[in-house]
Amino acid sequence: MKKIVIDEEYCMGCRLCEIYCVTFHSKSKDIIKTFRSEKDRPISAIVFEERGYTTFALQCRHCKDAPCTDACLTSAMYKDKSNVVLYNKDKCVGCWMCIMVCPFGIIKPDLKNKKVASKCDLCIGREIPACVENCPNEAISIKEL
Amino acid sequence: MAKAKIRSEFKIRRDLEKCIQCQACVRMCTNDVHYLDTESNTIMSFNNRCVGCHFCEDICPTNAITIERDTPEIKLNYHWESKSVYNIIKQSETGGVLLSGMGSDKQYKEYFDHIVLNASQVTNPSIDPLREPMELKTFIGRKPDKFIINEEIPPQLILETPIMFSAMSYGSISLNAQKSLARAATKYGTYWNTGEGGLHNDLKPYVNNAIVQVASGRFGVDIEYLKSAAAIEIKIGQGAKPGIGGHLPGEKVDEEVSKTRRIPSGTDALSPAPHHDIYSIEDLKQLIYALKEVTRYKKPVGVKIAAVNNVAPIASGIVRAGADFVVIDGIRGGTGAAPTVIRDNVGIPIELAIAVVDQRLREEGIRQHASLIAAGGFRSSSDIIKAIALGADAVYIGTAALISLGCHLCQKCYTGKCNWGIATQDPCLTKRLNPFVGEKRAYNLLRAWSLEIKEMLGGMGINAIESLRGNREQLRGIGLSEIELKLLGIKHAGESW
């Protein structure tokens, strides 16, 4: 399957990946509208790591043996046919066990609605995910692994 | 302490309707121009810190930022322009020499813009490079006086296009910038130049396409360095600062630079103004032949000089001293750091230098003994083709290559704070230049310019760049005086056979 590969050596820490992730998952899909007027703006599915001069953007690794899908009581976290780990908000009961077991800590909790707030879906409907396409330094790429 | 009288040079216009406060500009600017004012929750800027590198403009996802020039205007005065006045103000505050990066930006006559090219009409057919073969292959090195079958010819560099990347040392530019250029040159089949900073281990795979430099500081020079490269270049001077040496500040000499240059880390790397073993053409001859001996006469050895008043006789001496190629760097040639006054005022334009050197070598019957490489401010493929028609064999591009990697000519290379990750050794900044991206961009530039050169050659009805070299009949001058036309060896537009 296709996976997002991080090249932290060339991540410059601009965090534009987060901006484009939020924009793509918003209602309007327009960057200015999303950030200036949209209510309930989605949260980015990227965890940005930074220490010293090392920075990188971490997305769901879509693990082969995804612990989040095992831990989920209601199958809200599930794998689709192409092995992409997806999230169904309607089924989620907010136990946050997925957050507990994720080895990368990339699932973010929605404290207000007691659900899962964001989870990378490899941008359904796009050939190249928004973060990859808009990285100014090609520090993230999507590759068939 | 009195308030500083230095004014800002740029003004940052932020379209607040477009700004989404993502703070990419705040995070990215190494000069700390942008900041988030938490009270008003708006992003603000310190205009006086902006150097005009345009990085924020480029990174802003909504194009909300525009950098505008904001030259402090003084009362209209044709002699005392704002720049001179503010330079004096700056110097009276600091008491120091004004430094600058890149090449001279003074308004000298651009001879390339006063030369036009020929094209075939009726009497001879033009050639379509898309349908017919077009040869850009160039050979750099000494050519035999007579062609004798089966006789071995002196060592040659074989270029797929007459464009090479000029000397930019590791230290003055980042390793990622050098990697980008080295890979692009290797992929295209042309050459890159290590500069005087030695050869980093990571660049050894590209050494077959490297010209190594032996400069006055002799940094990183050893037997392996000399033997591994494709050619050796002795640097006497460079266009941006003829007659003066180099100074890489100790802050830029980190562990890797220290290993490559073979000097203790944190110490200043000083290149003396002259080579302390070269005080005459005879001394230069000794060094040329010492280097030829070391490499068993298997590699071309060349000499780089800045274009100065007596460039033609100097070049003649260099050729007679045994150089296989002569590099001439004009007044627009760039640098990582030079006193502004030297950069702007010393040297002569490359167009005139190429023409007079080529003419002199031909008159003396020694043109075939060395190839002539021109350097210094080539802005487009047309500048290159004009240089070749004036008599150069190939050209070096430095500034243009850096622009392909992102450079916006802010001329602050000497601060080590290059936002584009080019002229810096700060690991936070060097990683901004991904060599895989840089390689593609530099390669694209070589490709695009080569295609354009082929188109222009085809128009002239010439199918090999070899046939254009020194073919000044293909050039005509516009708005040039008699002496200028004479020096360039070209006719004025309108003149025919």
mmCIF file of all heavy atoms in Angstrom, chain B residues 428-472:
data_model
loop_
_atom_site.group_PDB
_atom_site.id
_atom_site.type_symbol
_atom_site.label_atom_id
_atom_site.label_comp_id
_atom_site.label_asym_id
_atom_site.label_seq_id
_atom_site.Cartn_x
_atom_site.Cartn_y
_atom_site.Cartn_z
ATOM 1 N N CYS B 428 19.669 24.574 11.210
ATOM 2 C CA CYS B 428 18.239 24.910 11.098
ATOM 3 C C CYS B 428 17.933 25.448 9.702
ATOM 4 O O CYS B 428 16.802 25.375 9.237
ATOM 5 C CB CYS B 428 17.850 25.991 12.092
ATOM 6 S SG CYS B 428 17.953 25.465 13.776
ATOM 7 N N LEU B 429 18.933 26.041 9.069
ATOM 8 C CA LEU B 429 18.707 26.685 7.770
ATOM 9 C C LEU B 429 19.152 25.811 6.606
ATOM 10 O O LEU B 429 18.498 25.786 5.565
ATOM 11 C CB LEU B 429 19.444 28.030 7.712
ATOM 12 C CG LEU B 429 19.053 29.048 8.788
ATOM 13 C CD1 LEU B 429 19.945 30.271 8.705
ATOM 14 C CD2 LEU B 429 17.606 29.459 8.621
ATOM 15 N N THR B 430 20.265 25.075 6.782
ATOM 16 C CA THR B 430 20.763 24.286 5.648
ATOM 17 C C THR B 430 19.754 23.217 5.247
ATOM 18 O O THR B 430 19.673 22.853 4.083
ATOM 19 C CB THR B 430 22.103 23.602 5.966
ATOM 20 O OG1 THR B 430 21.952 22.847 7.151
ATOM 21 C CG2 THR B 430 23.206 24.612 6.139
ATOM 22 N N LYS B 431 18.960 22.737 6.196
ATOM 23 C CA LYS B 431 17.992 21.691 5.846
ATOM 24 C C LYS B 431 16.840 22.225 4.998
ATOM 25 O O LYS B 431 16.041 21.459 4.474
ATOM 26 C CB LYS B 431 17.476 20.997 7.094
ATOM 27 C CG LYS B 431 16.675 21.873 8.007
ATOM 28 C CD LYS B 431 16.169 21.046 9.180
ATOM 29 C CE LYS B 431 15.289 21.882 10.077
ATOM 30 N NZ LYS B 431 14.556 21.074 11.024
ATOM 31 N N ARG B 432 16.763 23.553 4.865
ATOM 32 C CA ARG B 432 15.705 24.115 4.020
ATOM 33 C C ARG B 432 15.966 23.874 2.535
ATOM 34 O O ARG B 432 15.105 24.124 1.704
ATOM 35 C CB ARG B 432 15.586 25.622 4.255
ATOM 36 C CG ARG B 432 15.095 25.940 5.634
ATOM 37 C CD ARG B 432 14.861 27.413 5.752
ATOM 38 N NE ARG B 432 14.531 27.755 7.113
ATOM 39 C CZ ARG B 432 14.277 28.983 7.517
ATOM 40 N NH1 ARG B 432 14.320 29.965 6.652
ATOM 41 N NH2 ARG B 432 13.975 29.228 8.763
ATOM 42 N N LEU B 433 17.193 23.489 2.225
ATOM 43 C CA LEU B 433 17.503 23.199 0.823
ATOM 44 C C LEU B 433 17.650 21.689 0.671
ATOM 45 O O LEU B 433 18.665 21.115 1.039
ATOM 46 C CB LEU B 433 18.784 23.929 0.401
ATOM 47 C CG LEU B 433 19.243 23.679 -1.032
ATOM 48 C CD1 LEU B 433 18.180 24.101 -2.024
ATOM 49 C CD2 LEU B 433 20.518 24.425 -1.322
ATOM 50 N N ASN B 434 16.597 21.080 0.183
ATOM 51 C CA ASN B 434 16.622 19.641 -0.053
ATOM 52 C C ASN B 434 17.419 19.397 -1.343
ATOM 53 O O ASN B 434 17.020 19.842 -2.414
ATOM 54 C CB ASN B 434 15.183 19.149 -0.198
ATOM 55 C CG ASN B 434 15.084 17.669 -0.412
ATOM 56 O OD1 ASN B 434 16.075 17.014 -0.740
ATOM 57 N ND2 ASN B 434 13.889 17.127 -0.220
ATOM 58 N N PRO B 435 18.577 18.704 -1.254
ATOM 59 C CA PRO B 435 19.401 18.561 -2.463
ATOM 60 C C PRO B 435 18.700 17.826 -3.598
ATOM 61 O O PRO B 435 19.067 18.011 -4.762
ATOM 62 C CB PRO B 435 20.630 17.802 -1.982
ATOM 63 C CG PRO B 435 20.320 17.299 -0.642
ATOM 64 C CD PRO B 435 19.213 18.111 -0.069
ATOM 65 N N PHE B 436 17.687 17.042 -3.283
ATOM 66 C CA PHE B 436 16.960 16.359 -4.358
ATOM 67 C C PHE B 436 16.117 17.369 -5.140
ATOM 68 O O PHE B 436 15.982 17.276 -6.352
ATOM 69 C CB PHE B 436 16.097 15.234 -3.792
ATOM 70 C CG PHE B 436 16.930 14.129 -3.209
ATOM 71 C CD1 PHE B 436 17.151 14.052 -1.839
ATOM 72 C CD2 PHE B 436 17.553 13.202 -4.023
ATOM 73 C CE1 PHE B 436 17.950 13.066 -1.296
ATOM 74 C CE2 PHE B 436 18.357 12.210 -3.497
ATOM 75 C CZ PHE B 436 18.562 12.143 -2.131
ATOM 76 N N VAL B 437 15.570 18.347 -4.415
ATOM 77 C CA VAL B 437 14.810 19.409 -5.074
ATOM 78 C C VAL B 437 15.790 20.327 -5.814
ATOM 79 O O VAL B 437 15.580 20.679 -6.976
ATOM 80 C CB VAL B 437 13.997 20.224 -4.035
ATOM 81 C CG1 VAL B 437 13.227 21.334 -4.714
ATOM 82 C CG2 VAL B 437 13.055 19.321 -3.262
ATOM 83 N N GLY B 438 16.886 20.668 -5.142
ATOM 84 C CA GLY B 438 17.900 21.548 -5.730
ATOM 85 C C GLY B 438 18.471 20.963 -7.007
ATOM 86 O O GLY B 438 18.648 21.667 -8.008
ATOM 87 N N GLU B 439 18.745 19.673 -6.961
ATOM 88 C CA GLU B 439 19.303 18.989 -8.136
ATOM 89 C C GLU B 439 18.363 19.140 -9.334
ATOM 90 O O GLU B 439 18.788 19.485 -10.430
ATOM 91 C CB GLU B 439 19.488 17.506 -7.791
ATOM 92 C CG GLU B 439 19.901 16.639 -8.950
ATOM 93 C CD GLU B 439 19.692 15.153 -8.667
ATOM 94 O OE1 GLU B 439 19.547 14.779 -7.478
ATOM 95 O OE2 GLU B 439 19.649 14.378 -9.626
ATOM 96 N N LYS B 440 17.078 18.901 -9.089
ATOM 97 C CA LYS B 440 16.106 18.989 -10.182
ATOM 98 C C LYS B 440 16.072 20.394 -10.766
ATOM 99 O O LYS B 440 16.049 20.586 -11.976
ATOM 100 C CB LYS B 440 14.703 18.652 -9.643
ATOM 101 C CG LYS B 440 14.352 17.173 -9.746
ATOM 102 C CD LYS B 440 12.924 16.932 -9.327
ATOM 103 C CE LYS B 440 12.859 16.472 -7.895
ATOM 104 N NZ LYS B 440 11.536 16.362 -7.316
ATOM 105 N N ARG B 441 16.090 21.395 -9.866
ATOM 106 C CA ARG B 441 15.973 22.777 -10.324
ATOM 107 C C ARG B 441 17.221 23.224 -11.102
ATOM 108 O O ARG B 441 17.107 23.854 -12.155
ATOM 109 C CB ARG B 441 15.703 23.709 -9.145
ATOM 110 C CG ARG B 441 14.410 23.352 -8.413
ATOM 111 C CD ARG B 441 14.120 24.311 -7.295
ATOM 112 N NE ARG B 441 13.875 25.635 -7.828
ATOM 113 C CZ ARG B 441 12.691 26.078 -8.204
ATOM 114 N NH1 ARG B 441 11.638 25.316 -8.085
ATOM 115 N NH2 ARG B 441 12.555 27.285 -8.685
ATOM 116 N N ALA B 442 18.400 22.867 -10.583
ATOM 117 C CA ALA B 442 19.631 23.255 -11.278
ATOM 118 C C ALA B 442 19.735 22.520 -12.619
ATOM 119 O O ALA B 442 20.160 23.091 -13.627
ATOM 120 C CB ALA B 442 20.841 22.960 -10.408
ATOM 121 N N TYR B 443 19.311 21.261 -12.627
ATOM 122 C CA TYR B 443 19.333 20.476 -13.863
ATOM 123 C C TYR B 443 18.389 21.104 -14.899
ATOM 124 O O TYR B 443 18.731 21.238 -16.074
ATOM 125 C CB TYR B 443 18.917 19.030 -13.556
ATOM 126 C CG TYR B 443 18.838 18.146 -14.774
ATOM 127 C CD1 TYR B 443 19.954 17.463 -15.231
ATOM 128 C CD2 TYR B 443 17.645 18.000 -15.478
ATOM 129 C CE1 TYR B 443 19.894 16.662 -16.355
ATOM 130 C CE2 TYR B 443 17.569 17.204 -16.607
ATOM 131 C CZ TYR B 443 18.691 16.538 -17.043
ATOM 132 O OH TYR B 443 18.636 15.753 -18.160
ATOM 133 N N ASN B 444 17.199 21.487 -14.407
ATOM 134 C CA ASN B 444 16.222 22.107 -15.310
ATOM 135 C C ASN B 444 16.774 23.374 -15.943
ATOM 136 O O ASN B 444 16.532 23.647 -17.120
ATOM 137 C CB ASN B 444 14.936 22.448 -14.555
ATOM 138 C CG ASN B 444 14.073 21.221 -14.339
ATOM 139 O OD1 ASN B 444 14.286 20.187 -14.979
ATOM 140 N ND2 ASN B 444 13.123 21.306 -13.430
ATOM 141 N N LEU B 445 17.526 24.144 -15.136
ATOM 142 C CA LEU B 445 18.100 25.383 -15.670
ATOM 143 C C LEU B 445 19.091 25.064 -16.796
ATOM 144 O O LEU B 445 19.048 25.676 -17.869
ATOM 145 C CB LEU B 445 18.799 26.164 -14.554
ATOM 146 C CG LEU B 445 19.453 27.461 -15.006
ATOM 147 C CD1 LEU B 445 18.407 28.514 -15.322
ATOM 148 C CD2 LEU B 445 20.413 27.997 -13.960
ATOM 149 N N LEU B 446 19.952 24.057 -16.554
ATOM 150 C CA LEU B 446 20.922 23.666 -17.590
ATOM 151 C C LEU B 446 20.191 23.221 -18.853
ATOM 152 O O LEU B 446 20.560 23.585 -19.974
ATOM 153 C CB LEU B 446 21.789 22.509 -17.087
ATOM 154 C CG LEU B 446 22.844 22.825 -16.030
ATOM 155 C CD1 LEU B 446 23.512 21.548 -15.563
ATOM 156 C CD2 LEU B 446 23.888 23.782 -16.581
ATOM 157 N N ARG B 447 19.133 22.439 -18.648
ATOM 158 C CA ARG B 447 18.382 21.897 -19.780
ATOM 159 C C ARG B 447 17.715 23.022 -20.569
ATOM 160 O O ARG B 447 17.831 23.098 -21.790
ATOM 161 C CB ARG B 447 17.333 20.918 -19.259
ATOM 162 C CG ARG B 447 16.546 20.249 -20.340
ATOM 163 C CD ARG B 447 15.583 19.211 -19.770
ATOM 164 N NE ARG B 447 14.851 18.582 -20.845
ATOM 165 C CZ ARG B 447 13.713 19.073 -21.332
ATOM 166 N NH1 ARG B 447 13.198 20.165 -20.838
ATOM 167 N NH2 ARG B 447 13.114 18.466 -22.335
ATOM 168 N N ALA B 448 17.053 23.914 -19.829
ATOM 169 C CA ALA B 448 16.311 24.987 -20.488
ATOM 170 C C ALA B 448 17.258 25.886 -21.280
ATOM 171 O O ALA B 448 16.982 26.227 -22.442
ATOM 172 C CB ALA B 448 15.559 25.803 -19.446
ATOM 173 N N TRP B 449 18.360 26.261 -20.673
ATOM 174 C CA TRP B 449 19.302 27.150 -21.360
ATOM 175 C C TRP B 449 19.938 26.445 -22.553
ATOM 176 O O TRP B 449 20.149 27.066 -23.593
ATOM 177 C CB TRP B 449 20.362 27.654 -20.378
ATOM 178 C CG TRP B 449 19.861 28.790 -19.530
ATOM 179 C CD1 TRP B 449 18.563 29.228 -19.462
ATOM 180 C CD2 TRP B 449 20.613 29.638 -18.659
ATOM 181 N NE1 TRP B 449 18.474 30.286 -18.593
ATOM 182 C CE2 TRP B 449 19.712 30.558 -18.084
ATOM 183 C CE3 TRP B 449 21.952 29.706 -18.295
ATOM 184 C CZ2 TRP B 449 20.122 31.534 -17.176
ATOM 185 C CZ3 TRP B 449 22.356 30.687 -17.394
ATOM 186 C CH2 TRP B 449 21.450 31.586 -16.840
ATOM 187 N N SER B 450 20.210 25.147 -22.409
ATOM 188 C CA SER B 450 20.803 24.417 -23.538
ATOM 189 C C SER B 450 19.819 24.369 -24.705
ATOM 190 O O SER B 450 20.220 24.529 -25.868
ATOM 191 C CB SER B 450 21.184 23.004 -23.114
ATOM 192 O OG SER B 450 22.071 23.060 -22.037
ATOM 193 N N LEU B 451 18.549 24.156 -24.398
ATOM 194 C CA LEU B 451 17.540 24.125 -25.465
ATOM 195 C C LEU B 451 17.468 25.473 -26.171
ATOM 196 O O LEU B 451 17.397 25.548 -27.402
ATOM 197 C CB LEU B 451 16.165 23.760 -24.895
ATOM 198 C CG LEU B 451 15.981 22.315 -24.439
ATOM 199 C CD1 LEU B 451 14.629 22.136 -23.760
ATOM 200 C CD2 LEU B 451 16.096 21.352 -25.617
ATOM 201 N N GLU B 452 17.511 26.539 -25.366
ATOM 202 C CA GLU B 452 17.447 27.879 -25.961
ATOM 203 C C GLU B 452 18.672 28.156 -26.831
ATOM 204 O O GLU B 452 18.557 28.764 -27.895
ATOM 205 C CB GLU B 452 17.333 28.938 -24.861
ATOM 206 C CG GLU B 452 15.952 28.966 -24.222
ATOM 207 C CD GLU B 452 15.831 29.953 -23.063
ATOM 208 O OE1 GLU B 452 16.857 30.476 -22.606
ATOM 209 O OE2 GLU B 452 14.697 30.174 -22.625
ATOM 210 N N ILE B 453 19.839 27.700 -26.353
ATOM 211 C CA ILE B 453 21.062 27.907 -27.145
ATOM 212 C C ILE B 453 20.929 27.182 -28.487
ATOM 213 O O ILE B 453 21.282 27.715 -29.543
ATOM 214 C CB ILE B 453 22.310 27.435 -26.360
ATOM 215 C CG1 ILE B 453 22.552 28.375 -25.179
ATOM 216 C CG2 ILE B 453 23.551 27.380 -27.256
ATOM 217 C CD1 ILE B 453 23.666 27.968 -24.247
ATOM 218 N N LYS B 454 20.376 25.961 -28.425
ATOM 219 C CA LYS B 454 20.192 25.201 -29.671
ATOM 220 C C LYS B 454 19.268 25.950 -30.631
ATOM 221 O O LYS B 454 19.527 26.012 -31.833
ATOM 222 C CB LYS B 454 19.587 23.826 -29.363
ATOM 223 C CG LYS B 454 20.588 22.856 -28.781
ATOM 224 C CD LYS B 454 19.940 21.503 -28.560
ATOM 225 C CE LYS B 454 20.923 20.538 -27.929
ATOM 226 N NZ LYS B 454 20.311 19.242 -27.645
ATOM 227 N N GLU B 455 18.185 26.513 -30.093
ATOM 228 C CA GLU B 455 17.240 27.274 -30.930
ATOM 229 C C GLU B 455 17.947 28.453 -31.600
ATOM 230 O O GLU B 455 17.787 28.700 -32.790
ATOM 231 C CB GLU B 455 16.073 27.807 -30.088
ATOM 232 C CG GLU B 455 15.066 26.753 -29.634
ATOM 233 C CD GLU B 455 14.157 26.254 -30.743
ATOM 234 O OE1 GLU B 455 14.122 26.897 -31.809
ATOM 235 O OE2 GLU B 455 13.497 25.211 -30.551
ATOM 236 N N MET B 456 18.745 29.172 -30.796
ATOM 237 C CA MET B 456 19.410 30.359 -31.344
ATOM 238 C C MET B 456 20.460 29.968 -32.383
ATOM 239 O O MET B 456 20.595 30.630 -33.412
ATOM 240 C CB MET B 456 20.040 31.176 -30.215
ATOM 241 C CG MET B 456 19.003 31.944 -29.410
ATOM 242 S SD MET B 456 19.733 33.006 -28.151
ATOM 243 C CE MET B 456 19.948 31.871 -26.820
ATOM 244 N N LEU B 457 21.182 28.865 -32.083
ATOM 245 C CA LEU B 457 22.177 28.378 -33.049
ATOM 246 C C LEU B 457 21.502 27.999 -34.356
ATOM 247 O O LEU B 457 21.972 28.351 -35.447
ATOM 248 C CB LEU B 457 22.876 27.129 -32.496
ATOM 249 C CG LEU B 457 24.056 27.299 -31.563
ATOM 250 C CD1 LEU B 457 24.586 25.934 -31.172
ATOM 251 C CD2 LEU B 457 25.157 28.103 -32.223
ATOM 252 N N GLY B 458 20.390 27.279 -34.220
ATOM 253 C CA GLY B 458 19.634 26.845 -35.401
ATOM 254 C C GLY B 458 19.228 28.036 -36.245
ATOM 255 O O GLY B 458 19.331 28.023 -37.474
ATOM 256 N N GLY B 459 18.788 29.090 -35.570
ATOM 257 C CA GLY B 459 18.376 30.312 -36.263
ATOM 258 C C GLY B 459 19.512 30.892 -37.085
ATOM 259 O O GLY B 459 19.309 31.465 -38.164
ATOM 260 N N MET B 460 20.727 30.765 -36.570
ATOM 261 C CA MET B 460 21.881 31.315 -37.290
ATOM 262 C C MET B 460 22.337 30.374 -38.404
ATOM 263 O O MET B 460 23.267 30.703 -39.142
ATOM 264 C CB MET B 460 23.060 31.498 -36.330
ATOM 265 C CG MET B 460 22.831 32.533 -35.260
ATOM 266 S SD MET B 460 24.301 32.608 -34.240
ATOM 267 C CE MET B 460 23.610 33.030 -32.683
ATOM 268 N N GLY B 461 21.733 29.199 -38.447
ATOM 269 C CA GLY B 461 22.124 28.227 -39.465
ATOM 270 C C GLY B 461 23.390 27.478 -39.086
ATOM 271 O O GLY B 461 24.109 26.972 -39.948
ATOM 272 N N ILE B 462 23.652 27.427 -37.775
ATOM 273 C CA ILE B 462 24.856 26.739 -37.298
ATOM 274 C C ILE B 462 24.398 25.491 -36.539
ATOM 275 O O ILE B 462 23.446 25.562 -35.760
ATOM 276 C CB ILE B 462 25.662 27.677 -36.362
ATOM 277 C CG1 ILE B 462 26.182 28.874 -37.149
ATOM 278 C CG2 ILE B 462 26.786 26.937 -35.673
ATOM 279 C CD1 ILE B 462 26.815 29.945 -36.301
ATOM 280 N N ASN B 463 25.079 24.352 -36.775
ATOM 281 C CA ASN B 463 24.609 23.149 -36.089
ATOM 282 C C ASN B 463 25.584 22.635 -35.033
ATOM 283 O O ASN B 463 25.409 21.541 -34.509
ATOM 284 C CB ASN B 463 24.244 22.040 -37.086
ATOM 285 C CG ASN B 463 25.454 21.577 -37.855
ATOM 286 O OD1 ASN B 463 26.555 22.060 -37.619
ATOM 287 N ND2 ASN B 463 25.248 20.643 -38.767
ATOM 288 N N ALA B 464 26.608 23.408 -34.710
ATOM 289 C CA ALA B 464 27.502 23.008 -33.632
ATOM 290 C C ALA B 464 28.042 24.251 -32.948
ATOM 291 O O ALA B 464 28.416 25.227 -33.619
ATOM 292 C CB ALA B 464 28.654 22.171 -34.174
ATOM 293 N N ILE B 465 28.071 24.198 -31.629
ATOM 294 C CA ILE B 465 28.538 25.361 -30.869
ATOM 295 C C ILE B 465 29.997 25.691 -31.215
ATOM 296 O O ILE B 465 30.410 26.839 -31.163
ATOM 297 C CB ILE B 465 28.319 25.117 -29.357
ATOM 298 C CG1 ILE B 465 28.443 26.416 -28.551
ATOM 299 C CG2 ILE B 465 29.261 24.085 -28.787
ATOM 300 C CD1 ILE B 465 27.198 27.166 -28.375
ATOM 301 N N GLU B 466 30.740 24.663 -31.614
ATOM 302 C CA GLU B 466 32.144 24.851 -32.025
ATOM 303 C C GLU B 466 32.263 25.890 -33.140
ATOM 304 O O GLU B 466 33.234 26.630 -33.208
ATOM 305 C CB GLU B 466 32.710 23.526 -32.560
ATOM 306 C CG GLU B 466 32.804 22.430 -31.519
ATOM 307 C CD GLU B 466 34.178 22.373 -30.894
ATOM 308 O OE1 GLU B 466 35.144 22.555 -31.637
ATOM 309 O OE2 GLU B 466 34.264 22.169 -29.676
ATOM 310 N N SER B 467 31.252 25.896 -34.030
ATOM 311 C CA SER B 467 31.315 26.801 -35.182
ATOM 312 C C SER B 467 30.944 28.229 -34.819
ATOM 313 O O SER B 467 31.053 29.133 -35.645
ATOM 314 C CB SER B 467 30.371 26.321 -36.286
ATOM 315 O OG SER B 467 30.525 24.959 -36.484
ATOM 316 N N LEU B 468 30.442 28.414 -33.614
ATOM 317 C CA LEU B 468 30.065 29.771 -33.212
ATOM 318 C C LEU B 468 31.200 30.457 -32.458
ATOM 319 O O LEU B 468 31.263 31.677 -32.400
ATOM 320 C CB LEU B 468 28.808 29.720 -32.323
ATOM 321 C CG LEU B 468 28.311 31.090 -31.854
ATOM 322 C CD1 LEU B 468 27.680 31.859 -33.004
ATOM 323 C CD2 LEU B 468 27.320 30.959 -30.721
ATOM 324 N N ARG B 469 32.125 29.654 -31.906
ATOM 325 C CA ARG B 469 33.152 30.219 -31.045
ATOM 326 C C ARG B 469 33.990 31.267 -31.777
ATOM 327 O O ARG B 469 34.570 30.992 -32.828
ATOM 328 C CB ARG B 469 34.055 29.107 -30.514
ATOM 329 C CG ARG B 469 35.116 29.594 -29.564
ATOM 330 C CD ARG B 469 35.644 28.481 -28.743
ATOM 331 N NE ARG B 469 34.532 27.617 -28.332
ATOM 332 C CZ ARG B 469 34.414 26.349 -28.695
ATOM 333 N NH1 ARG B 469 35.306 25.796 -29.459
ATOM 334 N NH2 ARG B 469 33.391 25.649 -28.271
ATOM 335 N N GLY B 470 33.979 32.471 -31.243
ATOM 336 C CA GLY B 470 34.752 33.552 -31.841
ATOM 337 C C GLY B 470 34.195 34.029 -33.171
ATOM 338 O O GLY B 470 34.837 34.793 -33.883
ATOM 339 N N ASN B 471 32.995 33.576 -33.512
ATOM 340 C CA ASN B 471 32.364 33.940 -34.784
ATOM 341 C C ASN B 471 31.629 35.267 -34.596
ATOM 342 O O ASN B 471 30.404 35.323 -34.508
ATOM 343 C CB ASN B 471 31.403 32.794 -35.159
ATOM 344 C CG ASN B 471 30.825 32.938 -36.540
ATOM 345 O OD1 ASN B 471 30.971 33.972 -37.174
ATOM 346 N ND2 ASN B 471 30.142 31.896 -36.989
ATOM 347 N N ARG B 472 32.402 36.335 -34.521
ATOM 348 C CA ARG B 472 31.808 37.627 -34.153
ATOM 349 C C ARG B 472 30.974 38.226 -35.271
ATOM 350 O O ARG B 472 30.272 39.206 -35.067
ATOM 351 C CB ARG B 472 32.910 38.602 -33.744
ATOM 352 C CG ARG B 472 33.689 38.051 -32.579
ATOM 353 C CD ARG B 472 34.692 39.021 -32.069
ATOM 354 N NE ARG B 472 35.658 38.301 -31.250
ATOM 355 C CZ ARG B 472 36.647 38.875 -30.626
ATOM 356 N NH1 ARG B 472 36.807 40.162 -30.710
ATOM 357 N NH2 ARG B 472 37.478 38.164 -29.910
#
